[in-house]
Amino acid sequence: MNDPSGPARKARSFAAVLRELREARSLTQQELAAAAGLSVDAVSALERGRRTQPQPHTVRSLASALQLRDAEATALLSTLGRAGNGALEMPSRTLTSHPPPPPAIPVVGRDDEVAEIVAALRSAPGRLVTLTGPGGVGKTTVALLAAQTVVADHPGGAFFADLTDVTDPDDVLAVVALAAGTHADTVTGLGVHLAGAAVLLVLDNLERVAACAPQLVELLSACPGAVVLATSRVPLRVRREREIRIAPLDPAAAGRLFSERLTAAGARSPTTGGQDDDPVAQLCRRADGLPLAIELLAAAAARLGPQALLDRVDQSAELPVAGPRDLPARQRTMAATIEWSCRILGPAARRLFPRLAIVPGSFSLNTVDAIAAPDTADAVGALAELIEHSLVARSDAGQVARFRLLEPVRRYALETLEPTEREQVQRSVSQWALRTARELGARIRGRGDMTAVEQVEVDRGVLRLGYDQLVDARRHDDAAELLWSVWLPMWMNGHTREGFAWTERLREGDLSERGQARWLVARAGFNRVAANLFATAERAMRLAEQVDDASLAAEAAIFASAAALRLGDFDGSGALLAQAEAHVTQRLDVGNDVWAAVHVPIGRGDGALLRGDRSAAMRHWRSAAATAQEVDSGFSVAAVLAECAQAARSEGRLDDAAVMLAAADELGLQRHGHRRRAHLAGVAAAVAAELGDVASAQWWEGVAGPDAGPLDTDELREQFRELVRRADTVSGQD
């Protein structure tokens, strides 16, 4: 009964049966992995007996790929003992619904369209309904209203995915998967997650990624209970699709919407008899029934009054009349709406509007003067006017307010920007970007200013624009300085791949010695697992010492020390940390270079951990936290430990990763807000999953979720201790 060889024999038996079934079908491991939606390494590990307890969804995927007969399935499952009893049954789970939000404003004039959409959702054979129409016609609003109507038809949940910022069709499933509460971003994985559930997927703004349509069709085939409601400017052109076109509002509905938005803006709705010659009716005709245009007009009328606004419009050229209801006509109609809106702007706002369009993402208030240059006298006032006209959107999330042009508006505005003016703005932005990067980099390295980290995140698109302009202008050393100044906050915000791509635009031979050192440090910071990390960091250190830059030399020495640790050179790592410490204590002001000062004891702690001395590691990390606290720095040692834990996990050092996470908890990461806590919990979930502790991984995923509430400190601490115990057990077995 207590035969210790039993588990090993069972693992070999499962491996042997799986290999026999695969070979009987003349499949390679690569072919089986592709058919089952698994990695080749996973199939190899199962066949060699390295994985003894495959997950139920893995067994189901293999059985489906091998097309097992009943007897074959029984033979395979019998090798798993009790674990195989329900392996081919669908798992019982509850999907956490993230239903589409209700429309942001009252909806008028859409009853017929909503009824048609609801009927299609309940009866469409292909279960794919696409709402098409021009930009600004209200496709999203109508989709949300229809989704609210049918949500009870889908007990498995309703999930909303906004694809506005997605540009690659291959990324669509990942966004949909996150909306549905999973990281299974393949058709097979998402199909398993949604299998057997009656769900509604509302996919908004698909026009830029319409090529994902075949994947959606494949997903619907894998999930018989799923229904997709999509919005797009163009049809997806697949046979499953039922297209419903959303037309502009009729005159009566347009008048009601205008009056409602006028009242919502704080103005008194005019009393009219609905005659064709009243100001509201004429303004609605100018808008051609497009709800977005009506809202813009109503916002202006709230300030000027409908009649005064109409009088001003009459002094300008008439808007083009809407043509046939095909795509070019839709584009012209929207362009005409935006053009007309621009014509009622003041001169400063009209000048600023197309210049803002060169920014591909968000921007902060700090960038506006640079973008507006040389007409900066009333740039902030012009921005406020654009916000009033709904041409610029504002978000108050975080400590730094961010602004952006909605993408359809930005595309139109960009077309109106003259080439010479574009070049002028790019030059101004490059100067701003270099100056701002210097300032923010100094604040982050010097005092650990987390607001500056967020500032870099908000203005990343503008900084990239300035960086590219510096490179194009062959100002290579300036570009290297900008790159070095912002690599740390970009790394902290998770943009390592993008940052490394920035470094690829520069070549070492085009740089001075100082520029080379900065470039090499940035490359080391963005790619800490590179095989040549030690050589890169050591060369950067030598160059920094040659140009007598103590801060840069300390930073490079810290990276070289970390690389030496990974190579098993503990003495060399310690010597490099001693060099970094000497630069910090003898040449630098700790209060103004806290990043280097804190990373020396963090590096020593990492070295102690690799030598197996956890007590010493904890002492070094506490010392790092104390240093940051002494200089009143916002720099979070706990956040760095979470990143170190992520790196340790990627290297297979799960026990070390667990210890680092527990230390991060002790040093207070869970008190740094939801974003930091979610990052810590996300790493913990990944470690638990790799340890095979599914229940713990699910618990940590719940902690990382956006709906997680306050946590009991004792419970959190115990979960970290259990993670360390589990990691030690697995490490001991290995």
Side-chain angles (χ1 to χ4, degrees):
M1 294 292 292
N2 297 318
D3 179 5
S5 67
R9 186 168 59 249
K10 182 189 300 180
R12 286 195 300 273
S13 178
F14 179 86
V17 173
L18 177 60
R19 184 168 55 252
E20 179 182 306
L21 291 170
R22 175 179 62 78
E23 291 175 349
R25 286 155 176 78
S26 300
L27 294 174
T28 65
Q29 287 185 346
Q30 290 85 351
E31 290 169 337
L32 176 58
L38 303 174
S39 69
V40 177
D41 288 342
V43 173
S44 175
L46 288 169
E47 290 196 355
R48 286 187 292 164
R50 287 177 53 203
R51 286 185 59 184
T52 62
Q53 295 295 326
Q55 295 293 320
H57 69 82
T58 299
V59 179
R60 289 194 297 272
S61 297
L62 289 169
S64 175
L66 292 167
Q67 298 180 347
L68 298 184
R69 296 186 292 273
D70 290 345
E72 293 171 326
T74 300
L76 181 65
L77 296 177
S78 66
T79 65
L80 297 175
R82 291 182 180 179
N85 292 343
L88 294 187
E89 298 176 2
M90 292 311 302
S92 60
R93 83 260 186 257
T94 301
L95 295 175
T96 302
S97 180
H98 295 282
I105 63 173
V107 181
V108 298
R110 294 303 192 188
D111 293 347
D112 292 343
E113 287 94 335
V114 170
E116 182 182 6
I117 296 165
V118 168
L121 290 172
R122 289 172 172 166
S123 63
R127 294 176 288 113
L128 171 59
V129 177
T130 307
L131 310 186
T132 63
V137 79
K139 300 183 294 295
T140 300
T141 299
V142 177
L144 295 177
L145 192 61
Q148 295 290 323
T149 305
V150 302
V151 68
D153 297 347
H154 304 277
F159 307 93
F160 180 82
D162 184 358
L163 300 160
T164 303
D165 296 324
V166 180
T167 57
D168 189 339
D170 290 337
D171 292 338
V172 170
L173 281 184
V175 177
V176 176
L178 288 176
T182 178
H183 292 283
D185 57 356
T186 64
V187 171
T188 300
L190 186 54
V192 170
H193 182 71
L194 299 177
V199 298
L200 173 66
L201 303 175
V202 182
L203 312 183
D204 196 28
N205 294 304
L206 270 173
E207 54 267 6
R208 290 201 294 175
V209 287
C212 75
Q215 291 177 297
L216 296 180
V217 171
E218 189 178 351
L219 178 64
L220 289 171
S221 298
C223 306
V227 175
V228 171
L229 173 61
T231 71
S232 176
R233 292 191 180 191
V234 296
L236 303 183
R237 298 188 181 90
V238 290
R239 287 173 293 178
R240 277 182 177 267
E241 182 182 40
R242 164 71 187 279
E243 180 185 356
I244 297 177
R245 180 172 175 76
I246 307 301
L249 294 173
D250 62 48
R256 292 199 304 274
L257 177 61
F258 191 106
S259 296
E260 190 279 329
R261 299 316 300 154
L262 197 65
T263 302
R268 179 178 298 178
S269 181
T271 302
T272 66
Q275 291 85 2
D276 290 344
D277 59 350
D278 75 65
V280 169
Q282 292 188 58
L283 288 169
C284 288
R285 282 202 300 274
R286 303 293 179 89
D288 197 26
L290 290 170
L292 175 60
I294 292 169
E295 290 190 48
L296 293 171
L297 288 168
R303 298 196 312 274
L304 303 177
Q307 184 61 59
L309 180 62
L310 183 61
D311 292 341
R312 188 170 181 178
V313 169
D314 288 339
Q315 297 170 6
S316 304
E318 291 288 337
L319 292 173
V321 177
R325 304 303 187 184
D326 52 23
L327 183 59
R330 293 197 300 269
Q331 292 171 341
R332 288 197 300 270
T333 300
M334 193 61 193
T337 303
I338 300 172
E339 180 183 359
W340 179 91
S341 181
C342 291
R343 287 185 179 183
I344 61 174
L345 294 172
R350 277 203 306 273
R351 287 194 298 270
L352 178 62
F353 178 52
R355 297 176 187 182
L356 292 174
I358 72 167
V359 181
S362 65
F363 57 91
S364 71
L365 194 60
N366 293 344
T367 68
V368 174
D369 281 345
I371 296 172
D375 304 311
T376 60
D378 192 25
V380 174
L383 178 66
E385 187 175 353
L386 292 171
I387 295 170
E388 286 184 3
H389 283 258
S390 300
L391 292 170
V392 173
R394 173 184 173 180
S395 171
D396 290 324
Q399 300 180 66
V400 180
R402 63 177 66 196
F403 307 88
R404 71 181 183 93
L405 274 68
L406 301 177
E407 189 60 25
V409 175
R410 191 184 79 86
R411 285 199 296 268
Y412 163 80
L414 198 58
E415 292 176 358
T416 68
L417 189 62
E418 296 293 334
T420 55
E421 193 173 6
R422 183 195 298 254
E423 292 173 4
Q424 181 185 70
V425 173
Q426 288 174 331
R427 287 194 297 270
S428 298
V429 166
S430 68
Q431 295 297 331
W432 174 90
L434 180 58
R435 182 176 66 251
T436 300
R438 287 170 179 161
E439 176 193 341
L440 296 178
R443 285 166 53 188
I444 294 164
R445 285 178 172 83
R447 305 291 296 180
D449 189 338
M450 301 308 291
T451 301
V453 174
E454 185 179 348
Q455 185 86 51
V456 171
E457 173 66 9
V458 172
D459 285 328
R460 194 172 82 255
V462 189
L463 290 166
R464 173 61 189 264
L465 190 69
Y467 175 77
D468 286 342
Q469 174 66 20
L470 291 172
V471 175
D472 291 341
R474 303 187 63 79
R475 295 171 57 184
H476 298 123
D477 275 3
D478 287 340
E481 182 181 2
L482 189 156
L483 179 67
W484 172 72
S485 297
V486 301
W487 82 256
L488 176 58
M490 286 183 65
W491 172 77
M492 294 173 72
N493 284 311
H495 303 297
T496 54
R497 287 189 180 182
E498 179 185 347
F500 195 75
W502 287 29
T503 71
E504 293 291 278
R505 292 216 62 203
L506 288 175
R507 293 290 176 268
E508 191 171 359
D510 295 329
L511 299 166
S512 67
E513 289 185 339
R514 188 184 301 274
Q516 290 176 39
R518 287 168 169 165
W519 178 70
L520 289 168
V521 166
R523 286 179 70 86
F526 283 129
N527 193 9
R528 302 189 187 193
V529 296
N532 64 342
L533 176 61
F534 181 78
T536 298
E538 188 181 41
R539 194 158 87 256
M541 183 180 68
R542 302 303 175 208
L543 287 167
E545 289 172 345
Q546 289 177 26
V547 298
D548 197 28
D549 190 326
S551 179
L552 189 59
E555 202 167 318
I558 289 167
F559 283 138
S561 169
L565 272 185
R566 301 304 178 268
L567 296 172
D569 184 0
F570 294 103
D571 292 339
S573 174
L576 287 163
L577 282 177
Q579 285 184 257
E581 185 175 37
H583 285 302
V584 171
T585 57
Q586 298 173 18
R587 303 283 306 282
L588 302 174
D589 177 2
V590 173
N592 290 317
D593 212 321
V594 71
W595 187 90
V598 165
H599 270 73
V600 169
I602 288 176
R604 287 189 172 133
D606 197 10
L609 188 62
L610 283 170
R611 289 191 296 269
D613 191 344
R614 294 182 179 178
S615 297
M618 197 65 221
R619 286 197 303 273
H620 288 303
W621 293 334
R622 288 196 186 105
S623 173
T627 298
Q629 188 174 11
E630 285 171 9
V631 297
D632 193 26
S633 169
F635 188 83
S636 172
V637 174
V640 175
L641 287 177
E643 294 292 348
C644 291
Q646 183 77 286
R649 183 188 71 83
S650 68
E651 296 169 1
R653 297 161 49 211
L654 298 181
D655 51 342
D656 288 349
V659 172
M660 290 175 177
L661 292 171
D665 166 69
E666 181 177 325
L667 294 173
L669 184 60
Q670 74 275 12
R671 295 189 294 273
H672 284 255
H674 174 75
R675 181 178 178 184
R676 293 294 178 190
R677 185 186 73 184
H679 176 66
L680 178 74
V683 179
V687 172
E690 293 191 20
L691 291 170
D693 191 342
V694 177
S696 178
Q698 291 174 341
W699 188 88
W700 283 112
E701 286 176 354
V703 173
D707 299 327
L711 291 173
D712 180 82
T713 302
D714 292 337
E715 179 185 12
L716 194 65
R717 190 65 44 82
E718 181 55 35
Q719 288 288 339
F720 277 114
R721 289 171 180 163
E722 180 58 34
L723 189 66
V724 173
R725 286 194 290 269
R726 174 67 173 160
D728 285 343
T729 300
V730 173
S731 178
Q733 291 173 350
D734 293 342

